[in-house]
Amino acid sequence: MKRSIARTVAIALTAALALTACGGGGGGNQGPEYTGDTFDWKRYDGQSIKVYVADTGQVESLRAGLAEFTELTGITVEIEGSDVTSYRQNLPVRLTSRASDFDVMATFPEVDGLQFAKNGWYTDLGPYLSNPGVTDPEYDFEDFGAGIRKAMTVEEQTVTVMWEMQTDLVYYRKDLLAKAGLPVPTTFAEWEAAAAAVHDPGNRTYGFALRGIPYQTTTPFSSFLYAHCGEWVTDGKAAINTPEALKAYEVYGQLGSKYGPPGIAGFDWPVPSQQFAQGNVFAFLDVNLFVKDLEDPTKSRVAGNVGYTTVPRADCDAAPFIGGWGYGINPFSEKGDAAWYFIQWATSKQMNLDLKLTGWPSPRGSAWESPEFKQADKTPEFTQVVLTSTETARARMNPPVTPGVEAREIAGLVANKGLEGQTGAELKRTADQQNEKLQGLLDAMR
């Protein structure tokens, strides 16, 4: 209950801040200060910058490399890391006050994008990328695949460079699937049949796990929605109560309520993977951030026995989302060029490769294709699934509506109620109610 209240307060605060900021204009960063065409890593030698980021597990590695960055550029860096929830609450507050006490910020365009763009809280990185005087000729932005570059844009502007690449897939127990005598499922119907075949709650084996907290469900649910030919919004109208969306919500709810562990409707985002690691769950669908722990025998009872496969299809083709956290330039910073130097270094080929070798989901193709990674890769099946997913993924795991956090809460509640057992007409009433609320947000955007 405390968590629910806190989230509600955060949503209300974010919405209020967005309204307050509307019409207030954005920052003053209009692109690179230096307009020449000669790149020099030492141009801003002696400057100091501050990096304010959500800590998704990368901050420790970032701090460990700062001496190298300072040696390269002469720029000193202070990092202010924050847990994701606190960061999401505090960043809009600081941007609303036009704070210039940090120069680099973290953003997840799928969640922040439209709200931040509307309020002028992004710096367009395009002028930096296209200026040879401020971008290292070896940076190679094209090394980020087309789908990933698309996920870095909001309203046709590149607003961030990702340090991670998230996409959905299905994790499953190879031994239980083999015992059931079934091939690897490729459709949602086949996954439901496989979950039913291995579901044995008397022995604490549950068929399938999913996220349950409303705000968190949209990430895995997006794969259900697209495979059932649904959309969040169609022609400017909220569309989470269409027959296609309702079918997707039904499948999500039934898969979890029939075959999920007790309490699934309250599952936060890491819980399905934790239940899987404990050996309690046959399969779960979620993002590609868990392989390192699941394959660590000191943390996982199923290490060495984990299978990976792409998200299923249904009436339409499979379509996982693609997105992730990245670095952007605070539009109120007075050190935009130095901030861009840091972003280049932190998202360079070498930094991405170093992180990839620790199991990090790199957004750069060169990191996945490097001989060092291929030689060290202990889960080539997982690697192939992720790379295949990036070819069909869509950069949309949430309704394209602001405020993003509230839109996620609205759309995710229908999935949550499905997990609580709502189905048929009762689930449709919930979808109709939530669709009206989502339409209200859409109308407020105009």
Side-chain angles (χ1 to χ4, degrees):
M1 178 63 77
K2 288 181 179 179
R3 179 181 297 156
S4 176
I5 292 172
R7 185 166 54 249
T8 301
V9 170
I11 291 170
L13 176 60
T14 301
L17 289 172
L19 290 172
T20 300
C22 282
N29 194 315
Q30 300 299 316
E33 179 182 348
Y34 177 75
T35 56
D37 58 6
T38 303
F39 182 75
D40 180 3
W41 276 114
K42 289 289 189 182
R43 181 167 294 121
Y44 301 102
D45 187 354
Q47 285 199 12
S48 297
I49 62 171
K50 184 172 184 178
V51 177
Y52 178 42
V53 291
D55 188 355
T56 62
Q58 88 292 6
V59 167
E60 184 178 345
S61 298
L62 204 58
R63 285 199 174 101
L66 286 182
E68 175 190 311
F69 175 71
T70 298
E71 182 179 354
L72 176 69
T73 64
I75 300 169
T76 55
V77 180
E78 176 188 356
I79 294 180
E80 179 184 353
S82 172
D83 68 85
V84 172
T85 300
S86 298
Y87 183 82
R88 287 201 186 286
Q89 294 171 1
N90 292 329
L91 180 61
V93 176
R94 295 171 72 165
L95 290 173
T96 298
S97 66
R98 306 173 72 88
S100 60
D101 62 336
F102 60 99
D103 306 288
V104 176
M105 63 185 192
T107 180
F108 198 128
E110 264 290 281
V111 179
D112 308 323
L114 294 178
Q115 179 191 7
F116 279 34
K118 180 180 179 180
N119 293 329
W121 290 346
Y122 277 136
T123 295
D124 181 6
L125 301 183
Y128 290 89
L129 285 162
S130 62
N131 186 334
V134 295
T135 298
D136 181 4
E138 297 182 1
Y139 185 59
D140 191 9
F141 190 57
E142 301 294 312
D143 189 34
F144 297 92
I148 296 170
R149 294 199 305 274
K150 177 66 176 176
M152 298 178 188
T153 65
V154 176
E155 297 182 343
E156 306 304 322
Q157 292 187 348
T158 299
V159 299
T160 187
V161 182
M162 290 181 182
W163 73 68
E164 64 172 19
M165 183 269 290
Q166 294 187 23
T167 188
D168 278 340
L169 70 150
V170 178
Y171 304 77
Y172 65 94
R173 288 269 299 277
K174 290 182 176 179
D175 58 332
L176 294 181
L177 189 66
K179 185 177 180 180
L182 296 172
V184 179
T186 60
T187 68
F188 279 103
E190 290 173 357
W191 273 112
E192 181 169 1
V198 302
H199 189 60
D200 184 7
N203 288 309
R204 294 183 60 79
T205 299
Y206 301 93
F208 213 96
L210 290 161
R211 300 186 190 188
I213 291 176
Y215 166 78
Q216 293 286 357
T217 60
T218 57
T219 303
F221 176 71
S222 62
S223 292
F224 287 70
L225 181 67
Y226 298 142
H228 289 86
C229 313
E231 298 286 346
W232 303 108
V233 174
T234 302
D235 297 330
K237 298 292 184 183
I240 60 172
N241 66 342
T242 63
E244 294 82 8
L246 276 171
K247 190 171 182 180
Y249 280 123
E250 285 270 7
V251 172
Y252 191 95
Q254 291 297 292
L255 193 56
S257 62
K258 284 184 177 178
Y259 307 113
I264 190 171
F267 279 10
D268 205 347
W269 72 274
V271 179
S273 70
Q274 292 166 351
Q275 292 273 332
F276 185 84
Q278 292 168 10
N280 298 333
V281 169
F282 162 56
F284 72 104
L285 187 158
D286 214 297
V287 295
N288 57 318
L289 300 179
F290 307 111
V291 62
K292 184 178 179 182
D293 286 346
L294 293 180
E295 297 290 0
D296 183 345
T298 68
K299 299 178 179 178
S300 170
R301 294 180 179 176
V302 297
N305 201 22
V306 183
Y308 309 92
T309 189
T310 53
V311 297
R313 57 184 165 79
D315 298 325
C316 284
D317 290 337
F321 87 96
I322 192 169
W325 283 96
Y327 300 108
I329 298 176
N330 176 6
F332 307 107
S333 167
E334 296 177 352
K335 303 173 184 174
D337 286 13
W340 174 239
Y341 272 38
F342 173 83
I343 293 172
Q344 287 182 77
W345 169 81
T347 61
S348 65
K349 286 183 177 180
Q350 188 59 54
M351 283 292 288
N352 267 264
L353 175 57
D354 291 346
L355 284 169
K356 187 76 201 77
L357 293 175
T358 70
W360 198 254
S362 171
R364 276 191 178 270
S366 59
W368 293 84
E369 296 297 331
S370 68
E372 297 96 321
F373 170 67
K374 286 184 175 180
Q375 186 174 9
D377 188 7
K378 298 179 180 177
T379 54
E381 179 185 353
F382 168 81
T383 298
Q384 188 56 52
V385 167
V386 171
L387 294 179
T388 299
S389 295
T390 62
E391 297 174 0
T392 59
R394 299 171 58 169
R396 180 60 62 196
M397 70 171 186
N398 298 308
V401 181
T402 61
V405 174
E406 188 172 356
R408 289 183 74 179
E409 187 83 14
I410 289 171
L413 183 71
V414 189
N416 169 266
K417 292 301 180 184
L419 293 175
E420 289 183 350
Q422 282 192 9
T423 186
E426 186 180 18
L427 188 64
K428 185 177 187 309
R429 281 194 294 275
T430 299
D432 287 342
Q433 293 168 0
Q434 297 305 101
N435 197 70
E436 185 175 345
K437 293 179 181 178
L438 192 62
Q439 186 61 48
L441 293 185
L442 276 165
D443 293 341
M445 291 172 61
R446 300 188 175 100

Coordinates of all heavy atoms in Angstrom, one line a residue, residues 72-120:
L72 N 42.5 11.3 -20.8 CA 42.2 11.6 -22.2 C 41.9 13.0 -22.6 O 42.3 13.6 -23.5 CB 41.1 10.6 -22.7 CG 40.7 10.8 -24.2 CD1 41.8 10.3 -25.1 CD2 39.4 10.0 -24.4
T73 N 41.0 13.6 -21.7 CA 40.5 14.9 -22.0 C 40.9 16.1 -21.1 O 40.8 17.2 -21.5 CB 38.9 14.8 -21.9 OG1 38.6 14.6 -20.5 CG2 38.4 13.8 -22.8
G74 N 41.4 15.7 -19.9 CA 41.6 16.8 -18.9 C 40.4 17.3 -18.2 O 40.4 18.2 -17.4
I75 N 39.2 16.6 -18.5 CA 38.0 17.0 -17.9 C 37.8 16.1 -16.6 O 37.9 14.9 -16.7 CB 36.8 16.8 -18.8 CG1 37.0 17.7 -20.1 CG2 35.5 17.1 -18.2 CD1 36.0 17.3 -21.2
T76 N 37.5 16.7 -15.5 CA 37.1 16.0 -14.3 C 35.6 15.8 -14.2 O 34.9 16.6 -14.6 CB 37.7 16.6 -13.0 OG1 37.1 18.0 -13.0 CG2 39.2 16.7 -13.1
V77 N 35.2 14.6 -13.6 CA 33.8 14.3 -13.6 C 33.4 13.9 -12.2 O 34.1 13.1 -11.5 CB 33.6 13.1 -14.6 CG1 32.1 12.7 -14.6 CG2 34.0 13.4 -16.0
E78 N 32.2 14.4 -11.8 CA 31.6 13.9 -10.6 C 30.3 13.2 -11.0 O 29.5 13.7 -11.9 CB 31.2 15.1 -9.7 CG 30.4 14.7 -8.5 CD 29.9 15.9 -7.7 OE1 30.2 17.0 -8.1 OE2 29.1 15.7 -6.7
I79 N 30.1 12.0 -10.5 CA 28.9 11.2 -10.8 C 28.0 11.2 -9.6 O 28.3 10.9 -8.5 CB 29.3 9.8 -11.2 CG1 30.1 9.8 -12.5 CG2 28.0 8.9 -11.3 CD1 30.5 8.4 -12.9
E80 N 26.7 11.6 -9.9 CA 25.7 11.4 -8.9 C 24.7 10.3 -9.3 O 23.9 10.5 -10.2 CB 24.9 12.8 -8.7 CG 23.8 12.7 -7.7 CD 22.9 14.0 -7.6 OE1 23.3 15.0 -8.2 OE2 21.9 13.9 -6.9
G81 N 24.8 9.2 -8.8 CA 24.0 8.0 -9.1 C 22.8 8.0 -8.2 O 22.9 8.4 -7.0
S82 N 21.7 7.4 -8.7 CA 20.5 7.3 -7.9 C 19.7 6.1 -8.3 O 19.8 5.6 -9.5 CB 19.6 8.6 -8.2 OG 18.3 8.4 -7.6
D83 N 19.0 5.5 -7.4 CA 18.1 4.4 -7.8 C 17.1 4.8 -8.8 O 16.7 6.0 -8.8 CB 17.5 3.7 -6.6 CG 16.5 4.5 -5.9 OD1 15.3 4.5 -6.4 OD2 16.8 5.3 -5.0
V84 N 16.6 3.9 -9.6 CA 15.7 4.3 -10.7 C 14.5 5.0 -10.3 O 14.1 6.1 -10.8 CB 15.4 3.1 -11.6 CG1 14.3 3.4 -12.6 CG2 16.6 2.5 -12.3
T85 N 13.8 4.5 -9.2 CA 12.6 5.1 -8.8 C 12.8 6.6 -8.3 O 12.1 7.5 -8.7 CB 12.0 4.3 -7.7 OG1 11.7 3.0 -8.1 CG2 10.7 4.9 -7.2
S86 N 13.8 6.8 -7.5 CA 14.1 8.2 -7.0 C 14.5 9.1 -8.2 O 14.1 10.2 -8.2 CB 15.2 8.1 -6.0 OG 14.8 7.4 -4.9
Y87 N 15.3 8.5 -9.1 CA 15.7 9.3 -10.2 C 14.5 9.8 -11.1 O 14.4 11.0 -11.4 CB 16.6 8.5 -11.1 CG 17.2 9.3 -12.3 CD1 18.3 10.1 -12.1 CD2 16.7 9.2 -13.5 CE1 18.8 10.9 -13.2 CE2 17.2 9.9 -14.6 CZ 18.3 10.7 -14.4 OH 18.8 11.5 -15.5
R88 N 13.6 8.9 -11.3 CA 12.4 9.3 -12.1 C 11.6 10.3 -11.4 O 11.0 11.2 -12.1 CB 11.5 8.0 -12.4 CG 12.1 7.0 -13.4 CD 10.9 6.2 -13.9 NE 11.4 5.1 -14.8 CZ 11.8 5.3 -16.0 NH1 11.9 6.5 -16.5 NH2 12.2 4.2 -16.7
Q89 N 11.6 10.3 -10.1 CA 10.8 11.3 -9.4 C 11.5 12.7 -9.3 O 10.9 13.7 -9.4 CB 10.5 10.9 -7.9 CG 9.6 9.6 -7.9 CD 9.6 9.1 -6.5 OE1 10.2 9.6 -5.5 NE2 8.8 8.0 -6.3
N90 N 12.9 12.6 -9.2 CA 13.6 13.9 -9.0 C 14.1 14.6 -10.2 O 14.2 15.8 -10.2 CB 14.8 13.6 -8.1 CG 14.5 13.1 -6.7 OD1 13.4 13.6 -6.2 ND2 15.2 12.3 -6.1
L91 N 14.3 13.9 -11.3 CA 14.8 14.6 -12.5 C 13.9 15.6 -13.0 O 14.3 16.8 -13.3 CB 15.2 13.5 -13.6 CG 15.7 14.2 -14.9 CD1 17.0 14.9 -14.7 CD2 15.9 13.1 -16.0
P92 N 12.5 15.3 -13.2 CA 11.6 16.3 -13.6 C 11.6 17.6 -12.7 O 11.4 18.7 -13.2 CB 10.3 15.6 -13.6 CG 10.6 14.2 -13.8 CD 11.9 14.0 -13.0
V93 N 11.8 17.3 -11.4 CA 11.8 18.5 -10.4 C 12.9 19.4 -10.7 O 12.8 20.6 -10.8 CB 11.8 17.9 -9.0 CG1 12.0 19.1 -8.0 CG2 10.6 17.1 -8.7
R94 N 14.1 18.8 -11.0 CA 15.3 19.6 -11.2 C 15.3 20.3 -12.6 O 15.7 21.4 -12.7 CB 16.5 18.7 -11.1 CG 16.7 18.2 -9.6 CD 17.8 17.2 -9.5 NE 19.1 17.7 -9.6 CZ 20.2 17.0 -9.2 NH1 20.1 15.8 -8.6 NH2 21.4 17.5 -9.3
L95 N 14.7 19.6 -13.6 CA 14.6 20.2 -14.9 C 13.5 21.4 -14.9 O 13.7 22.4 -15.6 CB 14.2 19.2 -15.9 CG 15.3 18.2 -16.3 CD1 14.8 17.1 -17.2 CD2 16.5 18.8 -16.9
T96 N 12.5 21.2 -14.1 CA 11.5 22.2 -14.0 C 12.1 23.5 -13.4 O 11.7 24.6 -13.8 CB 10.3 21.8 -13.1 OG1 9.7 20.6 -13.8 CG2 9.3 22.9 -13.0
S97 N 13.0 23.3 -12.5 CA 13.7 24.5 -11.9 C 14.8 25.0 -12.7 O 15.6 25.9 -12.3 CB 14.1 24.1 -10.5 OG 15.2 23.2 -10.5
R98 N 15.0 24.4 -13.9 CA 16.0 24.8 -14.9 C 17.4 24.7 -14.2 O 18.3 25.5 -14.4 CB 15.8 26.2 -15.4 CG 14.5 26.5 -16.0 CD 14.2 27.9 -16.3 NE 15.0 28.4 -17.5 CZ 14.6 28.3 -18.7 NH1 13.4 27.7 -19.0 NH2 15.3 28.7 -19.7
A99 N 17.6 23.6 -13.5 CA 18.8 23.4 -12.8 C 20.0 23.2 -13.7 O 19.9 22.4 -14.7 CB 18.7 22.1 -11.8
S100 N 21.1 23.8 -13.5 CA 22.3 23.7 -14.3 C 23.5 23.1 -13.5 O 24.6 23.2 -14.0 CB 22.7 25.0 -14.9 OG 23.0 25.9 -13.8
D101 N 23.1 22.5 -12.4 CA 24.2 21.9 -11.6 C 24.6 20.5 -12.0 O 25.3 19.8 -11.3 CB 23.8 21.9 -10.1 CG 22.6 21.1 -9.8 OD1 21.8 20.8 -10.8 OD2 22.4 20.6 -8.7
F102 N 24.0 20.0 -13.1 CA 24.5 18.8 -13.7 C 24.5 19.0 -15.2 O 23.7 19.8 -15.7 CB 23.6 17.6 -13.3 CG 22.2 17.7 -13.7 CD1 21.7 17.0 -14.8 CD2 21.3 18.4 -12.9 CE1 20.4 17.1 -15.2 CE2 19.9 18.5 -13.2 CZ 19.5 17.8 -14.4
D103 N 25.4 18.3 -15.9 CA 25.6 18.5 -17.3 C 25.1 17.3 -18.2 O 24.6 17.5 -19.3 CB 27.1 18.8 -17.6 CG 27.6 19.9 -16.7 OD1 27.2 21.1 -16.9 OD2 28.3 19.6 -15.7
V104 N 25.3 16.1 -17.7 CA 24.9 14.9 -18.4 C 23.7 14.3 -17.5 O 23.8 14.3 -16.3 CB 26.0 13.9 -18.5 CG1 25.5 12.6 -19.2 CG2 27.1 14.5 -19.4
M105 N 22.7 13.8 -18.2 CA 21.6 13.2 -17.5 C 21.2 11.9 -18.1 O 21.6 11.6 -19.3 CB 20.4 14.1 -17.4 CG 19.8 14.4 -18.8 SD 18.4 15.6 -18.7 CE 17.7 15.4 -20.4
A106 N 20.5 11.0 -17.4 CA 20.1 9.8 -18.0 C 18.6 10.0 -18.4 O 17.8 10.7 -17.8 CB 20.2 8.6 -17.0
T107 N 18.2 9.3 -19.5 CA 16.8 9.3 -19.9 C 16.5 8.0 -20.6 O 17.3 7.4 -21.2 CB 16.6 10.5 -20.9 OG1 15.2 10.5 -21.3 CG2 17.4 10.4 -22.1
F108 N 15.2 7.6 -20.5 CA 14.7 6.4 -21.1 C 13.6 6.9 -22.0 O 12.5 7.1 -21.5 CB 14.2 5.4 -20.1 CG 14.0 4.0 -20.6 CD1 14.5 3.0 -19.9 CD2 13.2 3.8 -21.7 CE1 14.3 1.6 -20.3 CE2 13.1 2.5 -22.1 CZ 13.6 1.4 -21.4
P109 N 13.9 7.2 -23.3 CA 12.9 7.9 -24.2 C 11.5 7.2 -24.2 O 10.5 7.9 -24.4 CB 13.6 7.8 -25.5 CG 15.0 7.8 -25.2 CD 15.1 6.9 -24.0
E110 N 11.5 5.9 -24.0 CA 10.2 5.2 -24.1 C 9.3 5.7 -23.0 O 8.0 5.7 -23.1 CB 10.4 3.7 -23.9 CG 10.4 3.0 -25.2 CD 9.1 2.9 -25.8 OE1 8.2 2.2 -25.4 OE2 8.8 3.8 -26.7
V111 N 9.8 6.2 -21.8 CA 9.1 6.6 -20.7 C 9.0 8.1 -20.7 O 8.0 8.8 -20.5 CB 9.6 6.1 -19.4 CG1 8.8 6.6 -18.2 CG2 9.6 4.5 -19.4
D112 N 10.2 8.8 -20.8 CA 10.3 10.2 -20.7 C 10.0 11.0 -21.9 O 9.6 12.2 -21.9 CB 11.8 10.6 -20.3 CG 12.3 9.8 -19.1 OD1 11.5 9.5 -18.2 OD2 13.5 9.5 -19.2
G113 N 10.1 10.4 -23.1 CA 10.3 11.1 -24.3 C 9.3 12.2 -24.6 O 9.7 13.4 -24.8
L114 N 8.0 11.9 -24.7 CA 7.1 12.9 -25.2 C 7.0 14.1 -24.2 O 6.9 15.2 -24.5 CB 5.7 12.3 -25.4 CG 5.7 11.3 -26.6 CD1 4.3 10.7 -26.7 CD2 6.1 12.0 -27.9
Q115 N 7.0 13.7 -22.9 CA 6.9 14.7 -21.8 C 8.1 15.6 -21.8 O 8.0 16.9 -21.8 CB 6.8 14.0 -20.4 CG 6.7 15.1 -19.3 CD 6.8 14.4 -17.9 OE1 7.1 13.2 -17.8 NE2 6.6 15.2 -16.9
F116 N 9.3 15.0 -22.0 CA 10.5 15.8 -22.0 C 10.6 16.7 -23.2 O 11.0 17.9 -23.1 CB 11.7 14.9 -21.9 CG 12.1 14.4 -20.5 CD1 11.1 14.2 -19.6 CD2 13.4 14.3 -20.1 CE1 11.4 13.8 -18.3 CE2 13.7 13.8 -18.8 CZ 12.7 13.6 -17.9
A117 N 10.2 16.2 -24.3 CA 10.2 17.0 -25.6 C 9.3 18.1 -25.5 O 9.6 19.3 -25.9 CB 9.9 16.1 -26.8
K118 N 8.1 17.8 -25.0 CA 7.1 18.9 -24.8 C 7.5 20.0 -24.0 O 7.2 21.2 -24.2 CB 5.8 18.3 -24.3 CG 4.6 19.2 -24.1 CD 3.4 18.5 -23.5 CE 2.2 19.5 -23.3 NZ 1.1 18.7 -22.7
N119 N 8.3 19.7 -22.9 CA 8.7 20.7 -22.0 C 10.1 21.3 -22.3 O 10.6 22.1 -21.6 CB 8.8 20.1 -20.6 CG 7.4 19.8 -20.1 OD1 6.4 20.4 -20.4 ND2 7.3 18.7 -19.3
G120 N 10.7 20.9 -23.4 CA 12.0 21.4 -23.8 C 13.1 20.9 -22.9 O 14.1 21.6 -22.7

